[in-house]
Amino acid sequence: MKVLITTDWYKPAINGVVTSVINLADGLTAMGVEVRILTLSEDHHSHVDGNVTYIGSVGADKIYPDARLKLAPSGKYLQQLIEWKPDIVHSQCEFSTFHYAKKIAAVCNCSFVHTYHTVYEDFTHYFSPNIKFGKYMTAAFSKRVLAKTDSVIAPTAKVRDMLCRYGVDEHIAVIPSGLDLTRFESNPDNEEKAEARKELRRSLGINDDDRVLLFLGRLAKEKNIEELLFLTAGLAYRHIKLLLVGDGVYRRELEAKA
């Protein structure tokens, strides 16, 4: 079987969509599936690197941090993927590469599946001064885009219910995003790791009897990290420490609030 995955974001970018795509591609490959990835380049130049096709793009930070938009691509790169004849085209983003995915799936007459990763109604502060109007735009946009697919994957039941509320008629399957759990395996008997952990806690001012809460991710307004700060602010007497680990456009505001 051949699966083409399309995504506006890919390595070296770091975010949830990229992580999901990497885990999906690795998992499918381990099952013997032939996988190729179509994504946007970090500059104006289109090229192929291994099983990844990069299409030239331009930055669109004013729309969304680190976002990119396609340029008119060299037709040969899409033609190469069409000639590869995928059995399934699986898109991961609703913008630039979605249109490529739709075109390739139509020409190859293959199944067109889409995973809806982003709850855009939580992102209205980026594109609409009015929250109610922003949510209306999100619902209309999502319904129109997903109508072009054969099937939709929602990572959670909450996302599925939201899409049903939008009026999406396509089949929606709830399939949680895969995790590479090997990255979190630890050996409690490894004295070197245990000592490194103790040293890290000391360097961060964490006492042996402190309970540590961790947020690890992109620092953005839609993550509602302020609520974590607010809820833990009054818990210091319980020896609770909150660590915010990551970076993003909202970092300075969070540092000020902390």
Side-chain angles (χ1 to χ4, degrees):
M1 177 178 285
K2 299 178 180 179
V3 175
L4 173 64
I5 301 174
T6 66
T7 173
D8 287 10
W9 283 281
Y10 194 59
K11 296 184 290 187
I14 301 174
N15 59 39
V17 172
V18 175
T19 300
S20 179
V21 169
I22 292 172
N23 289 340
L24 174 61
D26 289 347
L28 290 173
T29 300
M31 295 170 62
V33 176
E34 192 174 346
V35 177
R36 290 192 184 183
I37 296 170
L38 172 64
T39 189
L40 299 180
S41 172
E42 290 191 298
D43 54 34
H44 298 178
H45 303 290
S46 300
H47 64 282
V48 177
D49 184 4
N51 70 328
V52 183
T53 298
Y54 294 90
I55 299 298
S57 67
V58 294
D61 287 345
K62 291 184 178 180
I63 299 176
Y64 181 76
D66 298 325
R68 301 195 68 84
L69 296 175
K70 64 180 179 178
L71 291 172
S74 300
K76 68 176 184 179
Y77 293 103
L78 295 185
Q79 187 59 36
Q80 288 172 358
L81 294 172
I82 290 172
E83 292 175 356
W84 181 59
K85 296 182 179 179
D87 298 296
I88 298 173
V89 175
H90 188 171
S91 63
Q92 309 286 327
C93 297
E94 293 80 16
F95 299 101
S96 291
T97 53
F98 181 89
H99 302 289
Y100 295 145
K102 180 177 179 294
K103 177 178 179 179
I104 294 172
V107 173
C108 295
N109 193 29
C110 64
S111 297
F112 182 23
V113 180
H114 180 78
T115 292
Y116 192 93
H117 287 282
T118 306
V119 181
Y120 291 106
E121 62 181 41
D122 292 338
F123 289 66
T124 55
H125 51 279
Y126 287 115
F127 60 85
S128 174
N130 182 280
I131 295 177
K132 184 175 181 180
F133 180 67
K135 289 186 176 182
Y136 170 80
M137 289 175 58
T138 294
F141 168 77
S142 300
K143 182 178 180 180
R144 179 170 58 84
V145 168
L146 298 181
K148 301 174 183 179
T149 68
D150 296 318
S151 186
V152 178
I153 294 175
T156 65
K158 177 182 177 181
V159 173
R160 177 200 59 200
D161 295 344
M162 178 189 71
L163 294 178
C164 290
R165 189 174 74 248
Y166 289 170
V168 174
D169 295 325
E170 282 59 45
H171 171 261
I172 303 174
V174 177
I175 304 176
S177 298
L179 297 175
D180 179 8
L181 296 179
T182 60
R183 300 181 61 190
F184 303 99
E185 293 178 353
S186 62
N187 183 358
D189 299 325
N190 189 321
E191 293 183 4
E192 184 178 347
K193 287 185 177 180
E195 184 57 37
R197 179 172 178 270
K198 290 181 180 178
E199 178 58 33
L200 177 60
R201 289 174 68 97
R202 285 194 292 267
S203 70
L204 295 172
I206 299 172
N207 301 318
D208 291 340
D209 59 344
D210 285 339
R211 183 174 295 246
V212 179
L213 307 181
L214 171 68
F215 171 88
L216 174 62
R218 182 169 52 85
L219 304 182
K221 184 176 178 62
E222 62 272 11
K223 300 296 184 180
N224 199 22
I225 304 170
E226 293 98 326
E227 186 170 2
L228 294 178
L229 290 173
F230 174 77
L231 292 174
T232 56
L235 298 178
Y237 69 95
R238 296 185 180 180
H239 300 287
I240 290 178
K241 297 287 180 64
L242 171 65
L243 296 183
L244 304 183
V245 181
D247 205 353
V249 296
Y250 209 52
R251 176 172 177 168
R252 290 186 178 181
E253 286 83 351
L254 288 171
E255 287 178 340
K257 291 177 185 295

